[in-house]
């Protein structure tokens, strides 16, 4: 027999199997073990069970076993493994196990094994979390509950023994049962004992009901735990980097429940439960957010707020959330224009008015107060007008939700601020700021990370976080081994360093591990079985890439590092990456040339944020371009200066530098003519002799007051750094040669992406929720539920039904008229062209109408047949 199990650490499937087959001397092996073939042959010959781990690395040597390719020779049953014939024992059993829940097995393997899924479910996680909090908060109730469960199990066993004794007595009876005194005596004894056991069972049931009443107090918390973990599981829909294990969540939960300083001195059950709930959400956001990009943190906070409101029983804002994610304006025709508002805004206003009951008079309100609404929309910060029904009587959370809908409809570029205010109304003003505090890497390393748990320092291209670990090791006098990965020699050094440090309790840092994704698979498996010194820590620095193994991301603690946006941050990052002795090297003009290059590099990179306004597409301008440009400047400056301390600006080979910058170093990545013209213009304006004049303008309009920015007057690296430090932290798009409304355009694009990511997560969550519900979608059940006002359909089906209905209103029902051929017009090539296009259009319209009607029937649960692949 054979089987595959996929597992999470609730109770690993391998542990269950090892305990079950312990007496049969089960063998544990792996496809990656050198002795795998030997272990397999031994198990086949002697009939011992064998557990093969890491079966995602399936080896074809197992095919004869799974295919049961047996043959009989001279009374022996043989099977061929490799080039050897092995005696096959009929008691042989094999189990295949994987810890990677994302692995996909080929169909030929699936057909030959039995799958057993050990991954965690919502109900099992709720039970475990309820047990954990009960054990911590009410140990007396937990002990009573455990004892009762044990007693109930013993009673059940006793009843089975009594039933067995009764059957045995009846089986051994001779002659008439009624005349057999032994049988009658046995029956009376069994009846009495059964009555006693049943009475005790009823007594335990009463006590168990009392225990359950206490347990139910913590039930909402366990439901919240389940919702949080499965929301964490769907974060990989936002970015492949966001992978989290169940153990990661359980560690956070146990920290909040068992070692929470906020619980000190609090005795009331309700107060303690409230603190645990609030701290669980805060802890979850803080721990996960430090491993996320800045732009994605609001997504996490938004999802957590939905879970909190849905499970706490306070409010139900599902309809409003779904509108924000799935509202589709632009499907209505002939809407009256509103002065000062674009057609898109008018469409959005009417869509909101027709969907959300409280906003039913929004269109009339905006039409009658257009000036006041426009003035309100341009205020900073935007505080929405309370223009919906019942706004004054709403609680703060509901009011914040409706304000977010107002902003989402009329100023989608400002939805981030409205979303932040909504989250603050749910969790408190300081909730979002908890993840913005300075990163305490040492505290994380000592308190949250275990010895066999790597710390993954994930950086964007061109950013290096290894300096933080080196500084931390120096400050706390901790021995640290640095090893660069990328060669066979590096792999050997890394394995030796890990083996040594895991015994001595030292630290190891492996740099650039993204260069060896295949080796990382081996490293993760090594760490999984490693028994290390309590002080041992492993740090991995890597660039963010989808090639990093999922199991490694799940096993480690992820911390992301991304450089801040803006000209100032870019300039400082560039100058800090170039050694001071290189910048200050003779001639003196070299430092200013480096500053010009840093300014040019900042503009080129920062304009990427405004794609497609800054550039027509995302070009990969990175640190390698900067390095090449530095080398080019050095070479031309050195060849021209020939060792002199000064070089006149007009002697610098500007034409050569401009050509190389615009056509090769940076321009070599450009494949658009307009972008190339932009690049040529930037290079020409920045690299010219007049930049050595003190009044050379870098930015003509810095702010609304009309201030200008001139080039710094200095010839040393320190002079330029002091000037950079004094620059404002926020820069307008005009610094990059863009109109000031470019920021609005980029915010609208980000808001659209924000909604799309939230929608992805919600779609996966709804599918999972549906999988755990016992829902009857039959036509009779649907009709009955519609009568009482319920709707069993999932949200995506209801939204799709509404969208299809709108499209059916717009698409013409009458088919296109067929053009009539005549002897004359058939000779006209233009007529033949139009006739062919009309025929194609008529067929396409028929197909569209058929598909829309079929989808509508499926969504309304009126199509009884199973949908075809095309309909799916």
């Amino acid at each position: 027999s054979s089987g595959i199990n996929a597992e999470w650490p609730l109770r690993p499937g391998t542990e269950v199997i090892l305990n079950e087959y312990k007496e049969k001397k089960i063998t544990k092996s792996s496809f990656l073990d050198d002795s795998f073939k030997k272990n397999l042959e031994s198990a086949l010959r002697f009939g011992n069970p064998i557990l093969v781990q890491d079966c995602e690395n399936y080896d074809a040597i197992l095919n004869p076993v799974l295919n049961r390719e047996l043959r009989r020779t001279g009374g022996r049953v043989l099977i061929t493994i490799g080039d050897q014939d092995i005696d096959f024992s009929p008691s042989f059993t094999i189990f295949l196990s994987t810890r990677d829940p994302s692995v996909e097995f080929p169909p030929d393997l699936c057909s030959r094994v039995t799958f057993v899924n050990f991954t965690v479910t919502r109900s099992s996680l709720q039970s475990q979390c309820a047990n954990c909090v009960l054990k911590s908060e009410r140990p007396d109730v937990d002990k009573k509950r455990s004892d009762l469960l044990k007693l109930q199990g013993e009673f059940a066993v006793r009843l089975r023994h009594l039933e067995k004794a009764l059957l045995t007595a009846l089986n051994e009876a001779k002659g008439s049962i009624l005349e057999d005194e032994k049988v009658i005596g046995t029956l009376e004894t069994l009846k009495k004992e059964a009555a006693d056991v049943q009475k005790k069972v009823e007594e335990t049931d009463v006590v168990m009901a009392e225990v359950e009443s206490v347990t139910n107090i913590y039930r909402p918390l366990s439901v919240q735990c389940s919702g949080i973990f499965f929301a964490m599981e769907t974060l990989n829909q936002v970015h492949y980097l966001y992978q989290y294990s169940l153990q990661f969540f359980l560690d956070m939960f146990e920290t909040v429940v068992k070692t929470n300083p906020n619980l000190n001195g609090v005795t009331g059950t309700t107060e303690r439960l409230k603190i645990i709930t609030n701290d669980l959400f805060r802890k979850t956001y803080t721990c996960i957010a430090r491993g996320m990009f800045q732009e994605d943190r609001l997504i996490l906070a938004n999802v957590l707020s939905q879970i909190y409101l849905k499970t706490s029983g306070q409010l139900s804002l599902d309809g409003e959330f779904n509108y924000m994610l799935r509202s589709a304006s632009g499907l209505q025709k002939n809407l009256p224009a509103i002065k000062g508002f674009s057609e898109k805004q008018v469409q959005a206003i009417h869509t909101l008015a027709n969907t959300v009951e409280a906003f039913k008079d929004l269109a009339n309100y905006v039409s009658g107060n257009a000036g006041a609404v426009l003035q309100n929309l341009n205020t900073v910060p935007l505080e929405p007008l309370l223009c919906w029904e019942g706004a004054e009587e709403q609680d703060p959370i509901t009011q914040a939700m409706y304000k977010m809908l107002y902003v989402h409809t009329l100023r989608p570029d400002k939805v981030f601020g409205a979303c932040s205010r909504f989250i603050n109304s749910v969790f408190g003003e300081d909730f979002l700021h908890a993840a913005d505090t300075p990163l305490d890497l040492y505290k994380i390393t000592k308190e949250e990370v275990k010895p066999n748990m790597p710390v993954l320092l994930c950086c964007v291209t061109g950013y290096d976080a290894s300096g933080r670990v080196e500084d931390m090791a120096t400050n706390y006098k901790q021995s640290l081994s640095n090893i660069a990965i990328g060669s066979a020699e590096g792999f050997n050094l890394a394995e030796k360093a890990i083996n040594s440090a895991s015994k001595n309790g030292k630290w190891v840092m492996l740099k650039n591990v993204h260069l060896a994704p295949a080796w990382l698979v081996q490293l993760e498996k090594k760490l999984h079985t490693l028994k290390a010194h309590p002080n041992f820590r492993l740090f991995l620095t890597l660039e963010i890439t989808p090639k990093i193994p999922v199991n490694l991301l799940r096993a480690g603690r992820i911390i992301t590092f991304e450089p801040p946006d803006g000209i100032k941050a870019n300039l400082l990052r560039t100058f800090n990456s170039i050694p001071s002795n290189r910048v200050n090297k003779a001639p003196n003009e070299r430092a200013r040339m480096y500053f010009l290059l840093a300014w040019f590099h900042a503009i080129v990179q920062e304009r990427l944020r405004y794609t497609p306004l800054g550039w027509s597409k995302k070009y990969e301008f990175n640190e390698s371009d900067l390095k090449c440009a530095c080398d080019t400047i050095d070479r031309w400056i050195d060849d021209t200066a020939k060792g002199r301390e000064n070089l006149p600006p007009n002697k610098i080979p500007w034409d050569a530098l401009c050509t190389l910058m615009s056509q090769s170093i940076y321009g070599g990545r450009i494949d658009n003519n307009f972008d190339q013209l932009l690049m040529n213009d930037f290079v020409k304006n920045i690299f010219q002799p007049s930049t050595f004049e003190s009044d050379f303008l870098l930015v003509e309009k810095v702010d609304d007051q009309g201030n200008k920015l001139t080039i710094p007057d200095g010839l040393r690296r320190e002079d330029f750094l002091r000037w950079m430090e004094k620059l404002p932290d926020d820069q307008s798009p005009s610094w990059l040669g863009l109109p000031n409304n470019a920021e609005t355009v980029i915010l609208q694009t980000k808001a659209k992406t924000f909604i799309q990511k939230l929608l992805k997560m919600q779609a996966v969550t709804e599918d999972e929720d549906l999988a755990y519900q016992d829902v009857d979608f039959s036509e009779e059940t649907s009709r009955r539920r519609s009568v009482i006002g319920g709707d069993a359909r999932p949200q995506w089906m209801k939204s799709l039904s509404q969208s299809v209905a709108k499209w059916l209103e717009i698409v013409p029902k009458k088919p296109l008229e067929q053009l009539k051929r005549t002897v004359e017009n058939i000779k006209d090539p233009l007529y033949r062209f139009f006739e062919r296009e009309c025929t194609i259009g008529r067929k396409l319209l028929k197909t569209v109408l058929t598909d829309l009607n079929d989808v509508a029937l499926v969504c309304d649960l009126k199509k009884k047949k199973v949908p075809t692949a095309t309909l799916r």
Side-chain angles (χ1 to χ4, degrees), residues 56-172:
E56 62 269 22
N57 303 293
Y58 179 76
D59 194 330
I61 196 174
L62 210 57
N63 283 339
V65 178
L66 299 185
N67 293 338
R68 297 187 65 83
E69 298 175 0
L70 307 177
R71 68 180 191 279
R72 301 180 185 277
T73 306
R76 298 169 61 193
V77 180
L78 301 177
I79 186 170
T80 303
I81 301 297
D83 56 354
Q84 293 184 9
D85 290 338
I86 308 296
D87 288 294
F88 179 80
S89 172
S91 61
F92 169 76
T93 306
I94 185 170
F95 299 94
L96 308 178
S97 170
T98 177
R99 291 180 296 107
D100 185 359
S102 64
V103 67
E104 294 183 3
F105 296 102
D108 65 304
L109 179 60
C110 296
S111 63
R112 293 178 290 171
V113 299
T114 301
F115 278 85
V116 181
N117 192 349
F118 280 88
T119 53
V120 67
T121 62
R122 289 181 181 270
S123 58
S124 62
L125 181 57
Q126 288 175 17
S127 299
Q128 181 164 355
C129 292
N131 293 341
C132 180
V133 70
L134 199 64
K135 190 177 293 184
S136 175
E137 292 297 297
R138 295 293 300 273
D140 55 328
V141 175
D142 180 68
K143 186 177 185 304
K144 187 183 293 186
R145 179 170 172 268
S146 300
D147 293 341
L148 288 174
L149 289 174
K150 186 179 179 182
L151 277 176
Q152 287 181 340
E154 291 175 354
F155 292 155
V157 172
R158 181 59 184 159
L159 285 173
R160 282 200 299 271
H161 283 314
L162 292 174
E163 291 171 359
K164 188 176 180 181
L166 173 60
L167 293 174
T168 303
L170 292 173
N171 185 50
E172 293 175 351

Side-chain angles (χ1 to χ4, degrees), residues 736-773:
L736 307 173
L738 293 169
N740 283 330
N741 65 350
E743 195 70 32
T744 303
V745 176
I746 196 66
L747 286 175
Q748 287 177 346
T749 305
K750 286 184 176 181
K752 186 177 180 181
T753 305
F754 170 74
I755 297 297
Q756 289 173 345
K757 289 179 178 179
L758 275 175
L759 190 57
K760 275 185 182 180
M761 288 191 63
Q762 192 178 57
V764 175
T765 304
E766 285 176 352
D767 290 342
E768 288 181 350
D769 288 343
L770 189 62
Y772 288 101
Q773 294 174 1

Side-chain angles (χ1 to χ4, degrees), residues 302 306 316-329 341 344-360 362-363 366 373 376-377 382-389 391 394 396-423 425 751 754-755 758 762:
N302 194 290
Q306 291 185 51
S316 178
L317 298 174
D318 289 348
E320 288 78 2
F321 274 119
N322 288 320
Y323 168 78
M324 195 178 82
L325 298 183
R326 292 181 167 91
S327 59
S329 59
F341 291 85
K344 188 175 181 180
Q345 285 177 311
V346 174
Q347 293 275 6
I349 290 170
H350 282 273
T351 302
L352 178 60
N354 295 334
T355 308
V356 182
E357 180 66 21
F359 284 99
K360 60 184 179 182
L362 179 63
V366 175
V373 174
N376 171 254
L377 294 177
L382 174 57
E383 182 58 37
L385 297 171
L386 302 181
C387 57
W388 56 89
E389 187 178 327
Q394 287 177 333
I397 296 177
T398 306
Q399 192 176 88
M401 180 76 233
Y402 278 70
K403 286 181 179 180
M404 185 162 61
L405 294 180
Y406 174 92
V407 174
H408 174 64
T409 301
L410 297 172
R411 283 296 301 269
D413 56 301
K414 294 189 176 184
V415 75
F416 296 106
C419 187
S420 298
R421 287 190 288 274
F422 168 73
I423 292 165
S425 70
F754 170 74
I755 297 297
L758 275 175
Q762 192 178 57

